[in-house]
Amino acid sequence: MTASLTIAGLHFAYPDGREVLHGVDLTVGDGERVALLGPNGAGKTTLVLHLNGILHAGSGSGAGTVDVAGLTVDPGDRARLAEIRRRVGIVFQDPDDQLFMPTVAEDVAFGPANLGLRGAELRERVDEALAAVDMAAHRDQVPHHLSFGQRRRVAVATVLAMRPEILVLDEPSSNLDPASRRELAEILRTLPVTVLMVTHDLPYALELCPRAVILDGGRIAADGKTVDLLSDPELMRGHRLELPFGFDPAFAAAQLRST
Amino acid sequence: MISLYRPGNSPLHRLPAGPKLLVVMAAALGISLTPPSPALLAGAAVAVTGAYLLAGLGAAEPARQAWRLRWLVLVVAVSQVFFLPALTVVANVVRVVVVILLANLITLTTPTGLLVDAIERALTPLRPLGVNPSRVALMLSMTITTIPVIAGFAAQIREAQRARGVPVAPLAFAVPLLIMTMKHADDLADALTARGID
């Protein structure tokens, strides 16, 4: 299996001296879906912002490398950075940060238009991305007027329109009602891309990601099958992770296999 | 995006955004320079009302819009009434109201996206001077989309304060609003960078 994402020895400290990452090593294979778990303050968001060079050694102090499908993130090489930003699609936690154009279709077109796509090709990208998240019927609406779940789906579409190698989702299920949460899961499961999903929603991680890693104290503390990690009570307690009341990961995983 | 736009199919709706902007700008200039003659100003008021009728917005709409301007009218009138003859004061008030009604007519009959596009096209000749029209247009449309977001922050803060029984306190309102807005700006910048704009 070729690697979509390779992180090696990643260290990072913010300019104010807060050390967040202490040597993260992580490889995600092409087409894999991986959940990134960890308590608040573990460095999950900092790690995500490194994946496309928004944060890099130069924005604080750091070391290590991030490779995206063979391209090394290098803040000095702007052309390569642009290509990396196309390949790594980050869906931010708050869709209101990500949606800023007058209509849904224009918002989805924004990224590909920046890549230089025009006319029929651009329209095709927009239609494809909106169809993938089942929002084609809302293409001419104002993003601000959609429901929260719909806005999150449009945010996913804005990233899919770039045809990314790897989709990075920051807390995709947060603030969603159960029905929107399930609809988003159905969509994410059908997408033919590598997925790295940051989440506190452990049942969601189990449902969508066969593999999970636990980030704690700026290091990868555990890496394995999601069901195995969630079934290890000591590991979970040790990293301030908690399953919802009554949730049995082994039972849920068996249910997942049978469907 | 603030949606003041009222969908319709009147001649004013069909007029392209660029020429419409130009016509309104010329009319506004004309009205501002009109001598304070009652007949001319009444004519201008009638013409604007006629334009609202043409746009299919009804005769009550300009009256409603004018009523919303009552505080502005009061400020304009009071600040001049002691220094200028009554006719001039009335003329100035009518000018201000008529120009604002004209400007509102554009917002009511033009989708914001088309207006931004028109402005982008108008700026294209400035490209050699270092102006990037698409960046200016992006900035404009982002400004417009951000207004309801910030209005939402303001409502949220007021609700939270009311729930805790805090009386109206400008500082206690402005500080959290400023912090939320700056946080939003930071996150928006990250999202823009992630989508390929530096």
Side-chain angles (χ1 to χ4, degrees):
Chain A
M1 186 159 54
T2 52
S4 240
L5 175 70
T6 312
I7 301 169
L10 193 64
H11 288 259
F12 184 76
Y14 282 97
D16 62 7
R18 252 182 326 130
E19 287 186 41
V20 184
L21 301 179
H22 293 276
V24 174
D25 295 294
L26 177 64
T27 305
V28 177
D30 192 19
E32 250 191 314
R33 284 203 301 270
V34 179
L36 178 63
L37 313 175
N40 286 337
K44 299 188 299 285
T45 305
T46 307
L47 180 59
V48 164
L49 293 178
H50 272 86
L51 299 183
N52 66 0
I54 292 180
L55 284 181
H56 47 82
S59 20
S61 59
T65 55
V66 177
D67 273 31
V68 181
L71 288 186
T72 304
V73 176
D74 170 8
D77 186 343
R78 296 181 71 84
R80 194 196 293 174
L81 203 57
E83 174 57 17
I84 285 169
R85 286 184 178 151
R86 184 194 69 73
R87 291 189 188 188
V88 181
I90 300 186
V91 179
F92 289 87
Q93 193 171 348
D94 186 352
D96 290 340
D97 295 336
Q98 195 149 3
L99 305 177
F100 40 69
M101 297 300 279
T103 68
V104 167
E106 282 173 78
D107 220 308
V108 176
F110 177 81
N114 263 321
L115 292 178
L117 294 189
R118 293 285 178 274
E121 208 182 347
L122 181 60
R123 221 169 14 251
E124 188 192 321
R125 283 285 183 101
V126 172
D127 292 345
E128 172 191 286
L130 283 175
V133 299
D134 199 17
M135 286 296 291
H138 301 274
R139 55 178 305 134
D140 295 320
Q141 268 177 282
V142 180
H144 198 71
H145 294 169
L146 299 172
S147 77
F148 195 85
Q150 290 173 325
R151 269 183 279 162
R152 175 143 308 143
R153 269 147 62 187
V154 173
V156 172
T158 63
V159 169
L160 287 180
M162 307 286 273
R163 295 209 179 132
E165 284 273 328
I166 172 162
L167 186 63
V168 181
L169 300 145
D170 193 358
E171 295 286 355
S173 63
S174 65
N175 293 323
L176 294 187
D177 60 35
S180 312
R181 179 177 172 278
R182 176 186 49 75
E183 285 161 3
L184 185 65
E186 282 163 6
I187 288 161
L188 294 178
R189 203 177 296 122
T190 58
L191 298 178
V193 290
T194 309
V195 171
L196 181 68
M197 184 170 116
V198 176
T199 189
H200 286 298
D201 185 343
L202 301 178
Y204 214 54
L206 179 62
E207 192 184 342
L208 289 168
C209 304
R211 178 180 161 206
V213 295
I214 297 177
L215 184 72
D216 197 4
R219 281 193 192 85
I220 300 291
D223 183 344
K225 280 192 186 165
T226 311
V227 60
D228 293 345
L229 299 190
L230 299 193
S231 306
D232 183 342
E234 263 176 51
L235 179 71
M236 297 283 284
R237 240 192 327 274
H239 299 293
R240 286 184 62 80
L241 295 172
E242 276 182 30
L243 293 167
F245 177 75
F247 184 77
D248 177 358
F251 178 75
Q255 292 281 306
L256 200 60
R257 269 195 298 277
S258 65
T259 52
Chain B
M1 184 70 61
I2 340 173
S3 45
L4 298 171
Y5 172 63
R6 311 261 180 89
N9 197 27
S10 74
L12 282 180
H13 282 87
R14 276 172 308 186
L15 199 65
K20 193 159 32 177
L21 260 179
L22 282 179
V23 169
V24 166
M25 277 159 71
L29 193 65
I31 291 164
S32 308
L33 299 175
T34 320
S37 116
L40 276 176
L41 287 166
V46 169
V48 169
T49 310
Y52 271 76
L53 285 174
L54 186 64
L57 295 163
E61 185 61 30
R64 238 165 36 92
Q65 301 259 355
W67 178 243
R68 277 204 211 134
L69 295 174
R70 60 193 182 276
W71 300 115
L72 179 72
V73 166
L74 196 71
V75 171
V76 171
V78 167
S79 61
Q80 299 184 353
V81 81
F82 301 110
F83 308 106
L84 298 170
L87 181 65
T88 317
V89 175
V90 172
N92 284 341
V93 166
V94 171
R95 279 187 192 129
V96 168
V97 171
V98 166
V99 168
I100 293 178
L101 288 190
L102 261 181
N104 283 352
L105 194 58
I106 291 197
T107 357
L108 288 167
T109 59
T110 323
T112 319
L114 292 184
L115 266 183
V116 172
D117 288 347
I119 293 168
E120 183 175 349
R121 272 197 307 279
L123 289 175
T124 312
L126 297 182
R127 203 184 273 280
L129 299 175
V131 177
N132 182 340
S134 57
R135 282 293 161 92
V136 176
L138 176 66
M139 195 186 69
L140 270 177
S141 91
M142 284 184 65
T143 308
I144 297 165
T145 21
T146 306
I147 292 170
V149 175
I150 293 174
F153 292 160
Q156 214 177 318
I157 294 167
R158 262 321 286 154
E159 271 167 28
Q161 292 183 337
R162 225 176 270 138
R164 292 165 58 199
V166 178
V168 179
L171 196 63
F173 175 76
V175 171
L177 184 65
L178 199 64
I179 291 172
M180 284 172 92
T181 307
M182 275 158 44
K183 167 93 176 53
H184 178 69
D186 248 3
D187 293 342
L188 201 62
D190 278 352
L192 269 176
T193 313
R195 291 175 73 182
I197 292 260
D198 281 300

